[in-house]
């Protein structure tokens, strides 16, 4: 729509209303100067894409997915969220230091989904009951290898809740022994094929261990209510460490809770789902309150382990969104072509749109900043962690500019492309475009962000329009490729 202006009420889809409805949730609409997550926010993804709700299981933090804040944006009690893991989720949420999401589809790493593993510091697998695909296993292993935290929670042999022929013991062992990244006992343990009816596994004596002695309390015992253990093989991974043991066991056998590392990431294993069950969930499920069992300290164990896996405690390697130790070639921006609508990016109202008044370069959606013909500012931003080991970090996007301005010398309307730190301070301005750059069609723009390797930064587009005559800054097909 060369040279024309659009109405201030430019939203032609329901997306704008959707964004405003959830402005208090993860998108933070209209506050794009604030990154999607600050340096002190630890991002945890709970898996619910592998029959974690089958049978009597209800291993979710909330029925609102992917964002539990949509059920209750400020939970004060575990019943404010619905699910047998709501106590876990609410306890983390109340600290103000965690951003929690639930994955309901295939797990990916380096893709554009809002629940792509590259957007998180830790992944929780709460008793999965369907096999992970080859692609998912590759994604999980690369996520951990590159700095992510993996929390694997099993149940006893035979706990096939969806009757597909696989229980959590087999599924998690398959992840470790049948993947394309490292199948040679990468974490240094295997899960035992056992059904232990009851017990209170005790913690080892180690006052320096951040999982046993963390900010959420001191761990003394856990709970077995039909669960299993693991066998350690330190010769395969010297960092594997049993923290709680079944009565009568120690060393390399009978480990009920353990930790390990892989590449730059961290791993934790728990031999039963009963300790994370808070006894509440969706109607029709038979649940038990292991979370608050008086003979155990399961809450402290779960929460300390989550903090350690996400990089919030402990000084050893790990944490940081699966990208701080080694460099795996990947595209890091979520929803990079805007086809998922108003997700992942933080934007002012109506910026992400499928309006027919402008045209996407590919697909249907694009980002449209300004174009009102009156004084107006639009922003579009996304936070991203650039792995420290990557020597190449190439930001690219396609930009189309049309304008009603007639001047060939004065920049009345501008678009700034900037890099900000977690506090919102501008670290650098990559480019400034204006009405003087108007042209037909899209032009690709590219910049190196290699100097920001090892940092979590916010990429921000700011369009500022003068009081008369419109200029539209239209962006599509963004990418941040690292290698």
């Amino acid at each position: 729509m060369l040279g024309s202006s659009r109405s201030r009420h430019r939203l032609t889809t329901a997306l704008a209303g959707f964004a405003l409805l959830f402005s208090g949730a993860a998108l933070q609409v209209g506050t794009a100067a604030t990154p999607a997550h600050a340096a002190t926010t630890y991002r945890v993804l709970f898996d619910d894409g592998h029959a974690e709700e089958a049978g009597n299981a209800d291993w979710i933090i909330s029925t609102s997915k992917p964002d539990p804040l949509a059920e209750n944006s400020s939970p004060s009690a575990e019943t404010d969220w619905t699910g047998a893991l709501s106590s876990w989720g609410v306890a983390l949420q109340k600290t103000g230091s965690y951003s929690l999401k639930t994955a309901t589809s295939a797990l990916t790493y380096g893709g554009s989904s809002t629940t792509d593993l590259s957007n998180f510091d830790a992944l929780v697998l709460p008793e999965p009951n369907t096999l992970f695909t080859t692609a998912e296993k590759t994604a999980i292993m690369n996520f951990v290898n590159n700095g992510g935290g993996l929390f694997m929670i099993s149940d006893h042999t035979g706990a096939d809740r969806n009757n597909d022929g696989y229980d959590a013991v087999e599924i998690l062992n398959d992840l470790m022994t049948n993947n394309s990244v490292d199948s040679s006992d990468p974490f240094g343990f295997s899960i035992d094929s056992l059904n232990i009816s009851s017990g209170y596994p005790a913690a080892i004596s180690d006052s320096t261990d951040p999982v046993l002695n963390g900010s959420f309390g001191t761990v003394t015992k856990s709970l077995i209510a039909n669960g299993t253990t693991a066998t350690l093989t330190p010769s395969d991974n010297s960092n594997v460490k049993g923290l709680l043991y079944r009565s009568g066991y120690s060393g390399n056998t009978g480990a009920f809770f353990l930790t390990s590392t892989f590449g730059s990431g961290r791993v934790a294993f728990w031999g039963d789902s009963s300790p994370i069950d808070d006894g509440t969930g969706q109607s029709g499920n038979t649940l038990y309150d292991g979370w608050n069992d008086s003979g155990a300290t399961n809450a402290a164990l779960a929460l300390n382990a989550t903090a350690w896996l996400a990089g919030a405690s402990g000084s050893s390697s790990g944490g940081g969104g699966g990208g701080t130790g080694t460099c795996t070639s990947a595209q890091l921006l979520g929803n990079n072509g805007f086809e998922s609508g108003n997700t992942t990016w933080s934007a002012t109202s109506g910026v992400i749109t499928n309006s027919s008044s402008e045209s996407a370069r590919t697909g249907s959606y694009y980002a449209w900043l300004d174009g009102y013909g009156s004084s107006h500012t639009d922003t579009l931003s996304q936070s991203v962690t650039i792995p420290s080991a990557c020597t190449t970090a190439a930001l690219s996007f396609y930009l189309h500019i049309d304008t009603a301005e007639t001047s060939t010398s004065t920049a009345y309307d501008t678009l700034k492309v900037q890099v900000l730190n977690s506090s919102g301070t501008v670290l650098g301005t990559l480019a400034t475009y204006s009405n003087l750059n108007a042209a037909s069609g899209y032009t690709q723009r590219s910049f190196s962000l290699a100097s920001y390797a090892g940092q979590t930064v916010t990429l921000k587009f700011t369009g500022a329009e003068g009081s008369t005559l419109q200029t539209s800054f239209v962006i599509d097909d963004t990418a941040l490729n690292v290698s």
Side-chain angles (χ1 to χ4, degrees):
M1 60 164 233
L2 180 63
S4 62
S5 63
R6 57 183 174 181
S7 166
R8 180 166 290 275
H9 301 288
R10 58 181 175 167
L11 299 183
T12 59
T13 71
L15 285 171
F18 186 83
L20 289 172
L21 178 64
F22 290 90
S23 62
L27 291 179
Q28 298 295 316
V29 175
T31 57
T34 301
H37 77 280
T40 55
T41 301
Y42 303 99
R43 306 159 297 173
V44 182
L45 180 67
F46 287 80
D47 182 49
D48 186 34
H50 297 86
E52 281 92 350
E53 296 179 70
N56 276 325
D58 194 43
W59 311 140
I60 55 174
I61 57 174
S62 167
T63 51
S64 177
K65 310 163 195 175
D67 192 352
L69 294 178
E71 182 176 12
N72 189 311
S73 62
S74 184
S76 59
E78 64 90 7
T79 52
D80 290 336
W81 289 354
T82 306
L85 305 188
S86 59
S87 287
W88 190 351
V90 169
L92 292 173
Q93 181 65 35
K94 286 169 66 176
T95 69
S97 297
Y98 291 84
S99 173
L100 311 177
K101 296 291 187 294
T102 299
T104 57
S105 56
L107 296 170
T108 60
Y109 180 55
S112 59
S113 168
T114 56
T115 55
D116 185 83
L117 291 174
S118 63
N119 297 320
F120 296 90
D121 301 304
L123 168 67
V124 180
L125 303 178
E127 195 195 335
N129 251 255
T130 58
L131 287 168
F132 296 100
T133 66
T134 299
E136 287 181 308
K137 288 185 286 188
T138 299
I140 294 169
M141 295 299 292
N142 279 330
F143 167 70
V144 181
N145 191 39
N146 292 336
L150 176 64
F151 205 156
M152 297 190 294
I153 301 168
S154 184
D155 203 2
H156 61 88
T157 292
D160 180 8
R161 297 180 185 271
N162 60 341
N163 299 312
D164 69 344
Y166 296 97
D167 56 40
V169 173
E170 296 166 305
I171 291 164
L172 295 174
N173 276 334
D174 178 72
L175 168 64
M176 295 186 288
T177 62
N178 184 26
N179 66 80
S180 64
V181 178
D182 187 339
S183 294
S184 58
D185 195 17
F187 306 152
F189 73 92
S190 60
I191 305 171
D192 302 325
S193 296
L194 296 173
N195 184 353
I196 306 165
S197 61
S198 62
Y200 284 94
I204 65 172
S205 178
D206 187 345
S207 62
T208 65
D209 190 276
V211 175
L212 298 179
N213 299 276
S215 60
F216 292 97
T218 299
V219 175
T220 57
K221 290 185 177 181
S222 187
L223 165 73
I224 296 181
N226 295 109
T228 189
T229 55
T231 298
L232 281 56
T233 310
S235 59
D236 291 339
N237 187 325
S238 61
N239 290 321
V240 67
K241 178 183 180 181
L243 298 187
L244 290 95
Y245 284 85
R246 180 186 180 189
S247 179
Y249 291 80
S250 62
N252 295 335
T253 60
F256 183 60
F257 194 103
L258 62 84
T259 58
S260 187
T261 64
F262 177 62
S264 299
R266 297 170 172 173
V267 178
F269 165 78
W270 209 340
D272 194 359
S273 53
S274 298
I276 59 173
D277 187 345
D278 65 17
T280 67
Q282 300 178 76
S283 175
N285 285 332
T286 303
L287 301 168
Y288 305 92
D289 191 357
W291 184 266
N292 296 303
D293 189 286
S294 60
T297 48
N298 293 316
L301 182 53
L303 296 168
N304 286 345
T306 306
W308 179 75
L309 290 167
S313 66
S315 59
S316 61
S317 64
T324 58
T326 58
C327 184
T328 298
S329 297
Q331 194 290 111
L332 301 183
L333 293 181
N335 192 21
N336 61 310
F338 306 107
E339 293 306 305
S340 296
N342 216 331
T343 64
T344 309
W345 296 89
S346 294
T348 45
S349 297
V351 165
I352 298 176
T353 181
N354 63 350
S355 168
S356 60
S357 297
E358 288 281 0
S359 298
R361 178 179 175 271
T362 59
S364 301
Y365 287 87
Y366 56 90
W368 182 0
L369 289 81
D370 297 329
Y372 292 102
S374 60
S375 181
H376 185 79
T377 298
D378 274 329
T379 59
L380 173 73
S381 66
Q382 184 175 149
S383 179
V384 63
T385 299
I386 302 175
S388 59
C390 291
T391 58
T392 299
L395 170 68
S396 64
F397 56 90
Y398 283 84
L399 176 64
H400 165 62
I401 303 173
D402 67 50
T403 187
E405 300 285 358
T406 59
S407 174
T408 59
S409 59
T410 303
Y412 292 108
D413 313 309
T414 61
L415 175 72
K416 290 185 178 181
V417 186
Q418 296 175 310
V419 180
L420 287 68
N421 65 14
S422 59
S423 300
T425 301
V426 176
L427 300 177
T429 298
L430 302 177
T432 300
Y433 304 101
S434 73
N435 50 281
L436 302 178
N437 302 114
S440 61
Y442 281 90
T443 301
Q444 187 177 35
R445 312 288 183 171
S446 301
F447 306 91
S448 174
L449 300 185
S451 61
Y452 301 103
Q455 299 182 50
T456 297
V457 296
T458 297
L459 306 177
K460 185 177 181 182
F461 298 86
T462 302
E465 192 172 24
S467 58
T468 60
L469 300 178
Q470 77 87 27
T471 298
S472 294
F473 301 99
V474 187
I475 300 167
D476 203 358
D477 297 329
T478 66
L480 177 52
N481 292 305
V482 298
S483 61

